Amino acid sequence: MVEHGEEMRGSREDPHRQARAARELPMLLHSMSVFRELFAVLFASREIGTVVEVGVESGQVSSVYADLGARVYCVEPSPDEGLRAVLDADPRLNLVEEHSPAALDGLPTADLYVLDGDHNYAVVRAELDWIMRNAPDAVVVLHDVLWPSSRRDFYYQPTTLPSGDVHPDTADGPTVWHDDVTPAGFVGRGAFTAAAHAGGERNGVLTAVEDAVAGSGAGWRLEIVPAVFGFGVLVRDGAPGAERIFEALRPFTSSALLATMENNRIALYSRVLQLQYEAVSRADDANRLAEAIAVQQQKIEQLRAELGRATAGAPARPSAAERAAKNRAAGDYVTDVAMHSATWGTFLEPDPALADAEKLHEVLGIPILGGHRADLEAFAGHNTVFDRIAARVGAGGLGYEDQGSNKHYFDLFGRAEAHHQELTRLVDVGVFMGGSSVVLAGCVEPMGLELDLVDVNHAYLQFTYERLRRIFPGAMGRVRMFHGDLPTYVEKVLLEESPVRAMVHHDGAHAFGQVVKDLSALYFARDRVHSLALKGTHLRGDIAHSNFVDAAAYAMFGADVKYEPIGAQFPPDAPVTNPDQWAGNYFLPGRPEGMYIRFGGLDWKYPHRTMTLEAFLPGKAEPQE
């Protein structure tokens, strides 16, 4: 057996022993399993035959008590199948599927209570009051008696506490870098929320312990090992082994070195959380910007086609037959131009010649028509990751314009952040000049996601990619450019790569027929799509363009489809509610700019089960003579 000292020191012949031991350990940032040595001290200081553990992790810590000779009751109201299997496999471990403290009444009186459940005043105080009345000779171990739970409540969701026991709470979490909560802090990502403010009465685990001790009148004593969020030991004076326990723990509880290392650890840990969050935020903005490029390109191609007819002596306005022909498949540009490119249906490589271009849009032949730019800094203070995106969105010195409102970009970021643990990839369809793509690119690093840019126009893809590279260079290893429409992307990528769990942002063609084809294509990859964010759902315009994205969504999912409105709801006097000068487009006032639709449980009304993906792919036009 290797001595602990040897493992740490290594040797001249084996200098990497400590590094090997370090990398072989699991990343136990806040697990009770690191306290095995301290539990051994407790068991050596007095007889412990029964343990009640409130809040069970993986069963790994539960087996520690059993290995030390105890029968263990594991109180966990919502065990997953993995935990259930671990506990079922060990007859020394008994699962109790109830909430604490109510569960304590039905269990044998224990020699050791380990409290690591809901980290808030109401629950911890109720648990301690029960133990002090019913098991006065027990040893009580409490986790999380130091930062972040010492003076701030945390509530597992959905909470079972009455409203009077819950402080105003938030999905944001604390950080050591300032006193306020932040989405870049210690957050629960839906599993728990935190009290919006720390301190005061009836707030936090340590506050509950102090009040329970003061109210008991029985001489209970608390000592804390300042490590891994705080290991608290509570024993009544005169209880069996009390003096031996505190004497044995004194090297740990009095260690200034441990306290300094813990402060350094939580500072580093919360800094990592902040960096992760900021990385996620940067990915978001990049995606939104990319989608805007696609829409603008389609408008440009429409204008070019009309100009060509006019100069050839054709009528200024095409006939109904001409307009119908123009709207076939995804439009003339796709079938007559884009599909004839050798790169159609493939991933593009970045063009190194664009790396130093100052007027990138001119180099790529992308005109800036309206010049609209969304003011993302209007949402300053709502989210630190989004704040960083907003601060960097204009970086790179490029000329560009946006196609979405700042509210749309902020809401798109919010959906990616809220669900990023369920996602592997963000897909931005119709990138234009990268408004949404910049926002989505800010999510790539902190959330550990991939980002695919999808557009029928290679110029928009190259512009957006280069813009993202200048703003979020660290994310670019996970960003790809796909030259094609959404059905082609589904065929060539989503159905071929596994596993994939994607959030798709759609701001490509807004024509009813093409949106139906795009959404129909997603039907064939629905098990790989987490959600869909549709932009321009209530955009209207000339009948030639058939801008009815909302109608397409209803055609696909039914008129009663459940969705979350995203983006702005423009007032009647907003300029964008009037037809624009390029394609007569305008937004319906008072209606959401977009719709966010979760794919789980969707009732698909179309396509029919006899149809195949091939029916929705574009058809390449015959070469023009």
Side-chain angles (χ1 to χ4, degrees):
M1 172 142 180
V2 177
E3 291 294 330
H4 191 64
E6 291 181 36
E7 181 182 83
M8 294 296 291
R9 295 172 186 168
S11 66
R12 299 182 189 191
E13 295 75 26
D14 185 8
H16 305 297
R17 182 175 291 179
Q18 182 185 357
R20 229 176 18 255
R23 65 174 171 260
E24 289 170 0
L25 284 174
M27 191 66 72
L28 301 174
L29 294 173
H30 45 76
S31 173
M32 287 281 279
S33 61
V34 300
F35 295 124
R36 184 185 188 98
E37 181 179 1
L38 300 184
F39 284 116
V41 168
L42 299 180
F43 275 76
S45 299
R46 62 162 286 174
E47 182 178 353
I48 296 177
T50 303
V51 175
V52 170
E53 178 188 33
V54 176
V56 185
E57 294 175 350
S58 61
Q60 179 182 0
V61 191
S62 311
S63 65
V64 169
Y65 318 131
D67 291 343
L68 290 169
R71 184 169 183 81
V72 186
Y73 294 88
C74 306
V75 179
E76 180 57 58
S78 303
D80 59 25
E81 291 308 310
L83 175 59
R84 195 185 299 277
V86 170
L87 299 185
D88 287 347
D90 192 335
R92 303 171 302 174
L93 309 179
N94 304 275
L95 176 61
V96 181
E97 294 187 51
E98 295 181 50
H99 286 279
S100 177
L104 303 180
D105 267 331
L107 299 177
T109 302
D111 304 300
L112 171 64
Y113 289 87
V114 181
L115 305 184
D116 191 24
D118 212 354
H119 301 321
N120 58 69
Y121 182 96
V123 170
V124 174
R125 179 65 192 273
E127 290 169 342
L128 291 177
D129 285 349
W130 188 96
I131 293 168
M132 289 175 172
R133 288 194 310 270
N134 297 281
D137 287 339
V139 178
V140 184
V141 166
L142 302 104
H143 194 208
D144 295 278
V145 292
L146 298 180
W147 189 93
S149 303
S150 59
R151 307 298 180 185
R152 186 190 300 273
D153 273 0
F154 284 76
Y155 309 103
Y156 279 110
Q157 297 297 322
T159 182
T160 58
L161 293 173
S163 59
D165 286 336
V166 178
H167 292 281
D169 60 333
T170 174
D172 293 349
T175 177
V176 302
W177 298 104
H178 55 75
D179 295 339
D180 298 323
V181 291
T182 167
F186 188 83
V187 299
R189 307 197 188 285
F192 60 79
T193 59
H197 299 285
E201 299 303 314
R202 301 181 59 81
N203 196 6
V205 173
L206 185 54
T207 305
V209 178
E210 291 171 344
D211 287 357
V213 169
S216 70
W220 288 80
R221 175 181 171 188
L222 172 71
E223 295 289 346
I224 298 173
V225 177
V228 195
F229 299 140
F231 180 94
V233 180
L234 187 64
V235 187
R236 184 180 59 82
D237 289 338
E243 288 302 320
R244 288 193 298 275
I245 288 173
F246 290 125
E247 184 63 28
L249 289 176
R250 182 167 291 118
F252 302 98
T253 58
S254 63
S255 173
L257 175 62
L258 272 182
T260 300
M261 291 177 67
E262 174 65 2
N263 285 341
N264 182 254
R265 189 187 75 91
I266 62 175
L268 292 173
Y269 181 36
S270 54
R271 178 59 176 154
V272 168
L273 293 176
Q274 180 183 355
L275 290 173
Q276 289 175 337
Y277 185 77
E278 289 172 352
V280 171
S281 163
R282 289 194 297 269
D284 238 4
D285 193 38
N287 266 10
R288 181 58 254 161
L289 185 57
E291 289 213 13
I293 293 179
V295 175
Q296 193 68 18
Q297 180 62 29
Q298 291 168 356
K299 291 180 180 179
I300 291 169
E301 296 305 326
Q302 291 166 0
L303 289 171
R304 285 177 177 169
E306 291 177 5
L307 179 61
R309 283 194 298 271
T311 55
R317 182 172 179 81
S319 66
E322 288 174 323
R323 293 199 302 272
K326 181 178 179 179
N327 288 332
R328 74 183 185 278
D332 286 342
Y333 178 77
V334 170
T335 60
D336 293 342
V337 180
M339 292 187 71
H340 290 267
S341 169
T343 60
W344 179 263
T346 67
F347 286 106
L348 301 182
E349 291 297 322
D351 184 349
L354 302 176
D356 298 319
E358 293 183 5
K359 297 184 178 181
L360 186 60
H361 66 288
E362 293 182 1
V363 173
L364 291 169
I366 303 172
I368 295 177
L369 299 178
H372 162 67
R373 292 194 178 190
D375 178 17
L376 301 188
E377 293 189 352
F379 289 92
H382 287 71
N383 184 295
T384 56
V385 176
F386 192 78
D387 286 349
R388 186 173 181 189
I389 292 176
R392 301 191 56 160
V393 70
L398 295 178
Y400 67 93
E401 64 179 325
D402 291 330
Q403 290 294 300
S405 70
N406 54 8
K407 181 69 162 58
H408 181 78
Y409 296 142
F410 182 74
D411 287 350
L412 182 64
F413 164 81
R415 298 312 183 277
E417 183 197 22
H419 302 293
H420 78 270
Q421 289 188 319
E422 306 163 44
L423 303 172
T424 61
R425 180 179 302 171
L426 304 169
V427 181
D428 200 12
V429 181
V431 298
F432 187 48
M433 301 186 82
S436 57
S437 301
V438 171
V439 175
L440 295 175
C443 301
V444 169
E445 289 180 273
M447 300 182 193
L449 302 175
E450 305 165 344
L451 171 60
D452 280 355
L453 311 175
V454 179
D455 205 292
V456 300
N457 188 290
H458 67 87
Y460 291 155
L461 288 169
Q462 293 287 2
F463 181 97
T464 298
Y465 187 92
E466 177 60 22
R467 186 178 177 202
L468 301 191
R469 185 192 66 78
R470 299 183 188 195
I471 299 177
F472 303 117
M476 301 315 290
R478 295 187 176 190
V479 178
R480 303 185 294 183
M481 300 178 281
F482 183 81
H483 186 205
D485 64 352
L486 182 54
T488 305
Y489 175 80
V490 170
E491 178 193 38
K492 301 287 187 180
V493 181
L494 276 188
L495 292 177
E496 293 297 321
E497 297 181 349
S498 181
V500 177
R501 192 68 171 155
M503 183 181 93
V504 178
H505 177 242
H506 185 284
D507 194 14
H510 295 94
F512 174 85
Q514 185 58 42
V515 178
V516 167
K517 291 179 181 180
D518 288 349
L519 302 189
S520 295
L522 291 178
Y523 170 83
F524 298 97
R526 60 194 182 279
D527 60 327
R528 299 171 181 226
V529 178
H530 170 272
S531 51
L532 170 68
L534 283 169
K535 168 73 169 61
T537 49
H538 292 86
L539 185 70
R540 299 291 187 259
D542 191 287
I543 188 60
H545 310 301
S546 302
N547 289 339
F548 301 104
V549 176
D550 50 336
Y554 298 141
M556 297 300 303
F557 311 124
D560 58 348
V561 60
K562 291 181 174 59
Y563 70 89
E564 299 173 33
I566 57 176
Q569 295 191 25
F570 301 107
D573 58 349
V576 293
T577 63
N578 295 314
D580 66 26
Q581 64 192 75
W582 300 289
N585 289 332
Y586 61 92
F587 282 92
L588 294 180
R591 303 297 298 162
E593 188 179 359
M595 301 162 66
Y596 177 77
I597 301 172
R598 293 286 298 272
F599 265 34
L602 269 182
D603 182 14
W604 292 78
K605 307 297 185 182
Y606 191 80
H608 192 270
R609 59 183 176 275
T610 60
M611 304 180 77
T612 64
L613 175 59
E614 186 177 2
F616 305 100
L617 295 171
K620 188 187 213 177
E622 292 296 325
Q624 296 181 356
E625 297 182 359

